[in-house]
């Protein structure tokens, strides 16, 4: 069995907050084995509440590179169910090295706080090729904008130097 290492997941868009809003997840890792034609990469969100089900999201691969070279998206079959996204390589084998996969329309309906996902490679026959390997924790918030998030220092019509305050949270995950 090969190895997967350095798994980092960076969430962008609405999934920084909890709710039925889709977001893109950029999964970055290094794979020692090749990914054969017909082989799959399986991404599993390890915390209940992430939903990739087709009824709730139209999960898609936005971009996939291996060692900086784009993988033709026409050779990538995507399926999703529950907390798993499976990417099947229907083209030529992919070399060992650094993979960066951007998966769109993932919904985080109920989970705030640190989360992880796991990555595994499977052969065309479904046997484990590498992994599962967990990502470093990524954080989501209970809400991108909290209730009562905006205030005015004065709401008098003739007031000057009025301060408008917007409270929000954000999470920054820096790619390597």
């Amino acid at each position: 069995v090969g190895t997967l290492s350095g798994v980092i997941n960076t969430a962008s868009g609405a999934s920084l907050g909890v709710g039925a809003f889709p977001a893109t997840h950029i999964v970055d890792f290094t794979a020692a084995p090749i990914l054969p034609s017909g082989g799959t990469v399986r991404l599993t969100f390890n915390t209940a509440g992430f939903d990739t089900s087709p009824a709730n999201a139209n999960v898609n691969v936005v971009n996939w590179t291996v060692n900086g070279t784009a993988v033709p998206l026409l050779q990538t079959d995507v399926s999703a169910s529950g907390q798993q996204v499976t990417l099947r390589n229907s083209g030529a084998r992919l070399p060992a090295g650094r993979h960066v996969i951007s998966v769109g329309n993932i919904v985080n309906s109920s989970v705030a706080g640190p989360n992880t996902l796991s990555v595994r490679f499977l052969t065309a026959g479904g046997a484990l090729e590498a992994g599962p390997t967990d990502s470093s924790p990524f954080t989501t918030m209970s809400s991108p904008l909290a209730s009562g998030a905006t205030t005015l220092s004065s709401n008098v019509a003739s007031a000057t130097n009025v301060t408008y305050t917007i409270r929000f949270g954000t999470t920054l995950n820096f790619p390597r």
Side-chain angles (χ1 to χ4, degrees), residues 1-24:
V1 175
T3 61
L4 301 173
S5 61
V7 179
I8 298 171
N9 177 50
T10 305
S12 64
S15 87
L16 291 177
V18 173
F21 306 105
T24 298

Side-chain angles (χ1 to χ4, degrees), residues 1-5 7 27-44 64-66 71 85-89 93-101 118-133:
V1 175
T3 61
L4 301 173
S5 61
V7 179
V27 183
D28 186 335
F29 60 92
T30 300
I34 62 163
L35 183 65
S37 180
T40 59
V41 175
R42 182 169 298 151
L43 308 174
T44 303
W64 185 355
T65 62
V66 179
V71 173
V85 176
T86 301
L87 313 170
R88 184 178 165 277
N89 173 28
R93 72 183 196 152
L94 299 177
R98 183 176 178 205
H99 289 248
V100 180
I101 304 171
S118 66
V119 178
R120 68 185 74 202
F121 274 20
L122 302 170
T123 65
L128 184 65
E129 181 76 20
T133 303

